[in-house]
Amino acid sequence: IMTKNELKYYSLLLQKKHRREENKFLVEGIKLITEALNSNYVCEKVFYTNAFFENNLDKINFLKSFDISIEQITRKDIERLSDVKSPQEIVGVFQIKNNLHSKAISNFIVALENINDPGNFGTIIRNCDWFGVETIIASDDCAEIYSPKVIRASAGSVFHLNVIEENNFIDSLINYKNEGYKIYCSDINGKNLDKILFNDKKIISLSNEANGPSQTLLNLSDEIITIPKKGKAESLNVANASAIILYELTK
């Protein structure tokens, strides 16, 4: 039976500070838990309610096949482990994979500057996964990869990709430029992206839609690209823009 101290400990993982201190994060829902397990994330524990047990015996047996600790707890306790009002009936505790300062090995990288909305960040990760982009570099002012909102918005794609959190975002891009990568910065004012011949080794950068790319990033970029506007909208949602750009570059 889960103790009060255990419940407090695991519920604190809803906060970024505690996720980083403990190197653990929470995953809610059987679909996302399955994605994490199949992506070789180390699972510490899975908590589920009686309602989940009664309706999902096959899923319980599936979890047991991974030789992980699973424990039944009350609905009230599950609510303490969730950041939504109507949580699913199952939550897993996983270890964070440390991607800080790891190196990209692919020729096509997506770089994200100050994408601080978790929904946009997670959706971009999902789009990258769909279009076969394996590596994302994220500046330290982006939303956090292991926040429940980002995980949900990514629909589990966060577990498939190499998402590198970069404390020195610009320095990192300079290093890639020195290795022969060309940087293409998406902005509202730029060259029509279907008129550009892209280098084999390329970095596509996307920035916060309210602020646009930083001047430092613009100065560093080899080309400023844009999706041509037909109507009167002031701007395009950055996650939607990412899908259009990735489609163009991978078709």
Side-chain angles (χ1 to χ4, degrees), residues 204-240:
I204 304 298
S205 72
L206 298 153
S207 305
N208 180 302
E209 64 199 65
N211 306 322
S214 66
Q215 194 57 52
T216 313
L217 178 56
L218 286 168
N219 294 343
L220 188 62
S221 299
D222 296 283
E223 197 88 64
I224 313 299
I225 63 172
T226 198
I227 300 162
K229 180 167 93 165
K230 311 281 188 191
K232 294 176 182 173
E234 189 187 349
S235 65
L236 196 58
N237 171 275
V238 67
N240 292 342

Side-chain angles (χ1 to χ4, degrees), residues 11-250:
S11 65
L12 283 171
L13 295 177
L14 289 170
Q15 300 171 24
K16 178 180 177 178
K17 175 176 178 255
H18 291 280
R19 284 195 288 273
R20 293 301 169 172
E21 283 175 358
E22 299 301 322
N23 226 39
K24 295 171 191 172
F25 65 104
L26 299 173
V27 178
E28 188 181 330
I30 189 62
K31 183 186 176 295
L32 292 176
I33 288 170
T34 302
E35 289 282 0
L37 287 168
N38 287 336
S39 302
N40 297 318
Y41 272 75
V42 176
C43 182
E44 178 175 308
K45 209 155 193 173
V46 173
F47 299 104
Y48 61 92
T49 64
N50 186 55
F52 183 88
F53 178 78
E54 288 180 347
N55 297 316
N56 298 279
L57 272 176
D58 57 329
K59 303 286 196 307
I60 293 290
N61 289 329
F62 165 76
L63 291 171
K64 285 179 177 173
S65 73
F66 280 89
D67 192 29
I68 53 179
S69 173
I70 62 174
E71 186 180 325
Q72 188 171 315
I73 60 174
T74 65
R75 170 78 187 182
K76 197 175 171 186
D77 286 349
I78 280 280
E79 286 171 359
R80 288 277 305 277
L81 301 178
S82 174
D83 69 325
V84 293
K85 283 183 179 174
S86 301
Q88 298 186 51
E89 306 282 339
I90 183 165
V91 174
V93 182
F94 287 85
Q95 286 181 19
I96 286 175
K97 282 185 181 179
N98 187 8
N99 286 341
L100 198 61
H101 305 312
S102 60
K103 197 80 177 67
I105 50 170
S106 47
N107 284 339
F108 188 176
I109 300 166
V110 167
L112 304 180
E113 182 188 52
N114 189 23
I115 307 290
N116 53 20
D117 179 272
N120 282 337
F121 189 49
T123 303
I124 292 169
I125 293 170
R126 186 178 183 178
N127 291 343
C128 286
D129 193 14
W130 179 264
F131 288 107
V133 176
E134 296 172 354
T135 301
I136 295 173
I137 303 167
S139 65
D140 58 5
D141 50 5
C142 282
E144 191 222 354
I145 303 167
Y146 295 106
S147 84
K149 287 177 182 172
V150 170
I151 293 170
R152 272 197 303 276
S154 83
S157 287
V158 70
F159 304 126
H160 307 158
L161 271 56
N162 180 25
V163 185
I164 302 166
E165 296 174 292
E166 247 328 325
N167 289 337
N168 301 302
F169 181 68
I170 295 296
D171 288 349
S172 172
L173 294 183
I174 291 168
N175 290 336
Y176 284 110
K177 274 196 79 158
N178 292 338
E179 291 172 19
Y181 286 83
K182 291 270 194 291
I183 299 174
Y184 302 90
C185 180
S186 64
D187 191 20
I188 200 142
N189 301 307
K191 203 168 167 183
N192 186 334
L193 78 104
D194 62 10
K195 301 279 191 284
I196 291 169
L197 284 171
F198 287 89
N199 197 43
D200 284 343
K201 293 174 83 170
K202 53 190 165 286
I203 295 173
I204 304 298
S205 72
L206 298 153
S207 305
N208 180 302
E209 64 199 65
N211 306 322
S214 66
Q215 194 57 52
T216 313
L217 178 56
L218 286 168
N219 294 343
L220 188 62
S221 299
D222 296 283
E223 197 88 64
I224 313 299
I225 63 172
T226 198
I227 300 162
K229 180 167 93 165
K230 311 281 188 191
K232 294 176 182 173
E234 189 187 349
S235 65
L236 196 58
N237 171 275
V238 67
N240 292 342
S242 76
I244 295 165
I245 293 167
L246 294 175
Y247 171 71
E248 276 293 328
L249 286 173
T250 56

